[in-house]
Amino acid sequence: RKEVEQDPGPFNVPEGATVAFNCTYSNSASQSFFWYRQDCRKEPKLLMSVYSSGNEDGRFTAQLNRASQYISLLIRDSKLSDSATYLCVVNAASYKLIFGSGTRLLVRP
Amino acid sequence: EPEVTQTPSHQVTQMGQEVILRCVPISNHLYFYWYRQILGQKVEFLVSFYNNEISEKSEIFDDQFSVERPDGSNFTLKIRSTKLEDSAMYFCASSDGRAPEAFFGQGTRLTVV
C-alpha cells in the first residue's frame, strides 16, 4: 500500500466551482499533515497545515480524520490561478515529509 | 520574504561525472533537506541534516551521495558518479525545527547524458 495515496485527477472545473480532493495515508503514527501546491516544473509550496479540528484559510478548508487516516482539501469559488497540482503530505516522528503523487486541478474560464 | 535559493537552476553532466548542487537555506532554519522529483513522479525524500550531521536518509541516498554544510550558509548535495537515472529535479528545503513543514527552493534540474 502506498504511504500517501491521492486521486491523480485531473479535475477539470469551471471558474467559481467548488472542488474537493481526498487523500489517505497508511502510517497511523503520522503526526503532521499538510497540503502543498506545485505548479508545473516548480517547487512545492506550502498551502496549509491540516489540524484535527479542521482549519480554513480563505477559500481553502482542510479536514483530517485520524480514525480513517483521511485528509481532505476543499476549494471554494475556484479561480483560474488555482490550476496546479495539489500534494498531500504527511510526516511521522521525524521531520521527513512523505508526499503523495498529487492531484491535478484545471480551472477553466 | 525569506526563501531558499538553489544554484544552478539547470545542470547538464555526462554520466560518471561528479556534480555538486548548492543551496542556501533560510537563515534562521536549523533543519535542511534534499528531495528529488523524477519527471512525472512524486517528490521523494533523500536526506535530512541537523546539527552538522545527517539525521535521516532514504534508500535512494546511497554511497554515491553526500551532503555537506561547508560554511554557515551553504548546504550542498554531491553525487560522486552520476548515472542516467539520477536525472531529476533536486529540491533543497529547510525548516525552523519548531514545526515540520519545510520550505523549498526553486530546484536544480539535473540532466545526465
Side-chain angles (χ1 to χ4, degrees), chain A residues 32 36 38 43 94-97, chain B residues 33 35 37 45 56 97 102 105:
Chain A
S32 302
Y36 277 73
Q38 186 174 31
E43 75 274 23
S94 70
Y95 280 67
K96 175 178 80 172
L97 298 178
Chain B
Y33 313 88
Y35 288 81
Q37 187 174 32
F45 170 80
E56 190 171 359

Side-chain angles (χ1 to χ4, degrees), chain B residues 77-88:
Chain B
L77 174 69
K78 182 193 291 187
I79 309 175
R80 260 180 273 285
S81 177
T82 49
K83 302 189 274 286
L84 294 176
E85 54 265 36
D86 293 328
S87 295

Side-chain angles (χ1 to χ4, degrees), chain A residues 3 32 34 36 38 41-44 46 49 87 91 94-101, chain B residues 31 33 35 37 39 42-43 45 56 89 91 95 97 99-102 104-106 109:
Chain A
E3 290 183 279
S32 302
F34 312 95
Y36 277 73
Q38 186 174 31
R41 295 180 179 250
K42 300 285 188 183
E43 75 274 23
L46 179 66
S49 301
L87 308 175
N91 98 302
S94 70
Y95 280 67
K96 175 178 80 172
L97 298 178
I98 301 167
F99 284 77
S101 298
Chain B
Y31 290 80
Y33 313 88
Y35 288 81
Q37 187 174 32
L39 189 63
K42 67 178 182 178
V43 177
F45 170 80
E56 190 171 359
M89 184 75 99
F91 293 110
S95 63
E101 63 257 28
F104 286 74
Q106 80 280 18
R109 179 166 300 283

Side-chain angles (χ1 to χ4, degrees), chain A residues 10-103:
Chain A
F11 285 61
N12 191 325
V13 302
E15 266 187 296
T18 295
V19 61
F21 305 137
N22 303 319
C23 164
T24 56
Y25 59 95
S26 60
N27 185 354
S28 59
S30 297
Q31 297 179 350
S32 302
F33 310 89
F34 312 95
W35 284 100
Y36 277 73
R37 170 197 168 125
Q38 186 174 31
D39 292 287
C40 189
R41 295 180 179 250
K42 300 285 188 183
E43 75 274 23
K45 290 186 177 176
L46 179 66
L47 181 65
M48 60 196 300
S49 301
V50 188
Y51 304 114
S52 297
S53 54
N55 49 300
E56 190 174 305
D57 183 1
R59 298 181 294 109
F60 300 84
T61 301
Q63 298 276 353
L64 168 65
N65 183 324
R66 285 187 185 268
S68 304
Q69 295 178 205
Y70 171 95
I71 307 161
S72 66
L73 177 68
L74 184 78
I75 305 175
R76 288 182 300 277
D77 189 23
S78 300
K79 313 287 184 197
L80 295 175
S81 56
D82 293 334
S83 296
T85 297
Y86 290 82
L87 308 175
C88 178
V89 183
V90 307
N91 98 302
S94 70
Y95 280 67
K96 175 178 80 172
L97 298 178
I98 301 167
F99 284 77
S101 298
T103 299

